[in-house]
Amino acid sequence: MKGLYVLISILLGAFLVGCTEKEKAPVKDEETSSPIEQSEDPNKLNYELLIHLEFIPHEVGSSMTLIQDEKLYQIWAEIFQLEDTPVIDFATEEVLFITEYSNGCGLVFDSLTQQEDTLYAKLDFPEEIRKQETKACEDIAKPHSFVIKLKKTGATKGTLEDPYEIRLENINIIL
């Protein structure tokens, strides 16, 4: 019986490691790959999606973290195994790292808004999936990491919402 437990543990561990393998090149999100113009909504933030990887480091899991310091940014770039670390001017800018798992439909970064000291980030299905009436996606968990540059916000809290209506609240703000 003990051998069966060990075998099941090994297989489960191998499955989880397989689900977080790093893709060689960043995924290009056609909808959000360039800076977004300021909208009519005063709460909507200007941001630039720098990187979308189909990879989540084992140390991170599903999360939303705002980095406001050069040294910490370099550490996070190492954790995320970024080959080219985009340049950030931390006097006026900050970087938001978002990690989340999706089913086979995938995820894209949808929007970023702020109300008082809280950031609200939203992920969604890709447009071609949203247009379908039914969503026939695989049940296999696929990792996604988004690296977003934005102007200083003064945020101290945050909420991440995905299309599965799952909300992660009280993000990490690293000063």
Side-chain angles (χ1 to χ4, degrees):
M1 187 68 173
K2 185 176 181 181
L4 180 61
Y5 176 73
V6 170
L7 178 62
I8 290 172
S9 297
I10 291 171
L11 290 174
L12 180 60
F15 172 74
L16 290 174
V17 168
C19 286
T20 59
E21 285 299 310
K22 181 178 181 184
E23 184 179 89
K24 294 293 183 207
V27 175
K28 183 171 173 112
D29 287 344
E30 295 299 326
E31 298 175 358
T32 58
S33 61
S34 62
I36 295 195
E37 298 297 320
Q38 186 69 27
S39 73
E40 301 287 325
D41 181 357
N43 296 324
K44 192 164 187 171
L45 299 175
N46 277 340
Y47 64 87
E48 181 180 352
L49 176 61
L50 299 174
I51 300 169
H52 174 193
L53 298 172
E54 290 184 345
F55 164 74
I56 296 176
H58 299 287
E59 305 89 344
V60 178
S62 292
S63 67
M64 182 174 163
T65 304
L66 189 63
I67 305 289
Q68 301 172 334
D69 175 81
E70 178 70 35
K71 285 183 181 179
L72 290 170
Y73 175 58
Q74 293 305 322
I75 291 169
W76 276 71
E78 282 182 37
I79 291 171
F80 279 81
Q81 302 172 19
L82 301 181
E83 293 174 12
D84 296 320
T85 307
V87 176
I88 307 297
D89 175 9
F90 283 97
T92 60
E93 300 171 325
E94 50 198 16
V95 179
L96 183 63
F97 283 81
I98 296 176
T99 55
E100 180 72 300
Y101 288 92
S102 72
N103 61 16
C105 286
L107 287 174
V108 294
F109 188 79
D110 183 61
S111 63
L112 184 63
T113 59
Q114 182 174 3
Q115 291 180 1
E116 298 175 7
D117 63 346
T118 304
L119 289 179
Y120 295 90
K122 184 175 180 189
L123 304 177
D124 206 343
F125 294 117
E127 185 175 358
E128 62 272 9
I129 300 297
R130 290 191 307 254
K131 288 181 179 179
Q132 297 176 5
E133 288 185 21
T134 60
K135 293 175 178 57
C137 303
E138 301 168 10
D139 290 333
I140 298 172
K142 293 189 176 185
H144 297 274
S145 294
F146 302 93
V147 181
I148 300 128
K149 176 173 75 170
L150 59 153
K151 296 287 182 197
K152 289 259 186 208
T153 62
T156 59
K157 296 181 270 188
T159 298
L160 172 62
E161 185 176 353
D162 69 17
Y164 312 104
E165 298 181 8
I166 296 172
R167 296 179 76 116
L168 299 174
E169 299 194 22
N170 298 322
I171 63 168
N172 298 314
I173 306 291
I174 302 179
L175 303 173

